[in-house]
Amino acid sequence: MIEVRNLVKKYGNHLAVDHLNFKIESGRIYGFLGPNGAGKSTTMNIMTGYLGATEGEVFIGGHNILKEPEEAKKHIGYLPEQPPLYMDMTVREYLEFAAELKGIKKAKREDEITEVEKLVKIKDVEHRLIKNLSKGYRQRVGLAQAVLGFPEIIILDEPSVGLDPKQIIEIRELIRKLAKKHTVILSSHILAEVREVCDHILIISKGKLVASDTPENLERLLGEHNTVEIEADASPSDIRLVLKSVPGIERIEIKENGEEACTALIHEKKGQDVRGHIFRAFASAGIPLLTLKASGTTLEDVFMELTQKDIIPEALTKKAEELEQEEEVQEDAGDL
């Protein structure tokens, strides 16, 4: 859907984006993360055609955003951090104006606007002036203009900033709903939000891409020692006997909870995931597991690790190399 090739953006002597390369596949929710000044918003503005690049190319649906802006922009709906709203218009007037700018045919315009209003739940305020709406409703109106025309890609820059907890939950639900038919790119400083709604995360630091993977893989690859907590209806000796056959365990801590049930904290070896092995081992032994949950490195830990150091951890470098090799194999297979 989107391919960024060797992207560079300079402001005088300041290098905001430094030879950036990545691909966005269809049917996913992407989290685009980075500290302030990392080049995140600059990259998004170039991707959407708001800014030109110093070097490099961006392809949207096969069209170069710099050379074929009209064709490329047909594939994108964009909600900036500050939605481009006209406060003295009603919601309906604004969406009619946005639909006209997008070139939506008159015969389809009214039906599409009504459908989008229902999708983002603003139908009941369509005749109100935008300046009289709450922050949450204004965000929804901005989102409605991004969705108009039903482009394949929806790009959202800090969509939940300034919203109260109830409004944040509503926006998250809306993003999940949009992802059923659209590819969504979400920029946010709220890491818990990204962890909850995104399938894939891109982390940018000092203008460079430092990570591209699922939230789970990033947490596991950068974790020193993840732990798994279990509660089983068995004695400590039985638990140790079952876990003896499970590979990838570094050490075990057991605490008796009562007459029968025990809790065990299992420390994994680095890079291991023993949850499946544990489940099958206890099932084979006929011992019921009452609890099985993992804990360890969080997305916040990953973010701090990658954006405060100049050296990318070895595990992540190897993962990036593996992904590149997989892409090369897929491209070779396509050529054949």
Side-chain angles (χ1 to χ4, degrees):
M1 298 299 295
I2 298 179
E3 185 175 358
V4 175
R5 298 180 185 171
N6 201 37
L7 194 65
V8 176
K9 181 63 179 179
K10 294 180 180 178
Y11 294 101
N13 294 324
H14 175 62
L15 187 60
V17 179
D18 186 4
H19 299 89
L20 201 57
N21 293 276
F22 61 85
K23 292 180 181 179
I24 299 294
E25 306 291 344
S26 61
R28 291 181 177 181
I29 305 177
Y30 284 83
F32 198 44
L33 302 179
N36 291 330
K40 184 173 73 274
S41 292
T42 298
T43 301
M44 295 183 81
N45 282 327
I46 295 173
M47 288 166 57
T48 53
Y50 279 70
L51 279 178
T54 305
E55 296 176 28
E57 298 174 305
V58 177
F59 290 89
I60 311 290
H63 300 280
N64 190 314
I65 190 70
L66 303 176
K67 296 179 181 178
E68 305 171 87
E70 289 189 10
E71 287 300 317
K73 288 179 182 179
K74 288 179 182 178
H75 298 273
I76 299 175
Y78 181 39
L79 174 64
E81 185 175 347
Q82 298 295 329
L85 305 176
Y86 291 91
M87 296 299 176
D88 291 324
M89 285 185 174
T90 66
V91 171
R92 188 77 183 192
E93 289 170 344
Y94 172 73
L95 293 179
E96 288 171 351
F97 173 65
E100 187 175 352
L101 288 179
K102 289 190 173 191
I104 298 172
K105 294 179 180 179
K106 285 186 178 181
K108 297 182 178 179
R109 200 173 294 169
E110 291 301 310
D111 289 340
E112 280 205 19
I113 291 172
T114 299
E115 186 176 351
V116 166
E117 285 180 332
K118 290 178 180 178
L119 176 66
V120 302
K121 297 182 180 179
I122 55 172
K123 181 67 178 173
D124 57 334
V125 297
E126 67 174 351
H127 298 302
R128 291 179 59 182
L129 292 175
I130 292 174
K131 66 182 179 183
N132 294 332
L133 298 178
S134 67
K135 171 74 173 176
Y137 270 109
R138 290 181 190 179
Q139 284 290 90
R140 287 177 179 272
V141 174
L143 190 54
Q145 68 78 25
V147 176
L148 264 178
F150 299 100
E152 296 100 319
I153 304 160
I154 308 293
I155 300 179
L156 311 174
D157 192 0
E158 300 286 350
S160 58
V161 66
L163 302 184
D164 63 37
K166 181 176 181 294
Q167 293 167 337
I168 289 173
I169 291 171
E170 290 172 348
I171 289 293
R172 288 178 186 174
E173 291 174 353
L174 189 52
I175 290 169
R176 291 191 189 97
K177 193 172 183 179
L178 287 173
K180 293 178 181 178
K181 295 183 179 180
H182 307 268
T183 298
V184 180
I185 303 173
L186 167 68
S187 168
S188 177
H189 282 98
I190 305 173
L191 298 185
E193 177 176 72
V194 173
R195 180 68 176 81
E196 186 174 333
V197 303
C198 295
D199 307 312
H200 197 98
I201 291 177
L202 304 169
I203 300 179
I204 186 172
S205 180
K206 299 177 183 177
K208 293 177 178 288
L209 185 69
V210 296
S212 176
D213 211 328
T214 64
E216 296 81 7
N217 282 345
L218 287 175
E219 291 170 352
R220 186 157 293 278
L221 282 168
L222 294 178
E224 286 299 322
H225 297 284
N226 292 317
T227 59
V228 176
E229 181 182 337
I230 66 167
E231 184 180 5
D233 192 7
S235 66
S237 58
D238 287 340
I239 289 175
R240 288 189 183 277
L241 183 62
V242 172
L243 293 176
K244 190 176 181 180
S245 64
V246 175
I249 294 178
E250 185 170 273
R251 61 189 174 90
I252 303 166
E253 300 173 31
I254 296 181
K255 177 183 177 182
E256 295 186 48
N257 298 341
E259 293 182 359
E260 296 182 357
C262 289
T263 298
L265 192 62
I266 301 159
H267 297 261
E268 301 173 325
K269 293 179 180 178
K270 188 172 181 179
Q272 298 292 315
D273 185 355
V274 301
R275 290 173 296 176
H277 297 297
I278 291 172
F279 178 83
R280 286 188 289 271
F282 276 87
S284 297
I287 298 174
L289 275 177
L290 307 178
T291 301
L292 173 63
K293 62 181 180 180
S295 62
T297 304
T298 66
L299 186 57
E300 285 82 359
D301 297 328
V302 172
F303 183 81
M304 297 300 291
E305 173 81 9
L306 293 175
T307 58
Q308 291 191 359
K309 291 186 177 182
D310 293 327
I311 300 174
I312 301 174
E314 183 181 354
L316 203 60
T317 303
K318 287 182 179 178
K319 179 66 175 177
E321 290 173 354
E322 290 171 4
L323 290 173
E324 286 180 7
Q325 290 171 0
E326 287 176 9
E327 287 177 1
E328 288 173 3
V329 169
Q330 290 171 0
E331 287 174 2
D332 291 343
D335 291 340
L336 292 173

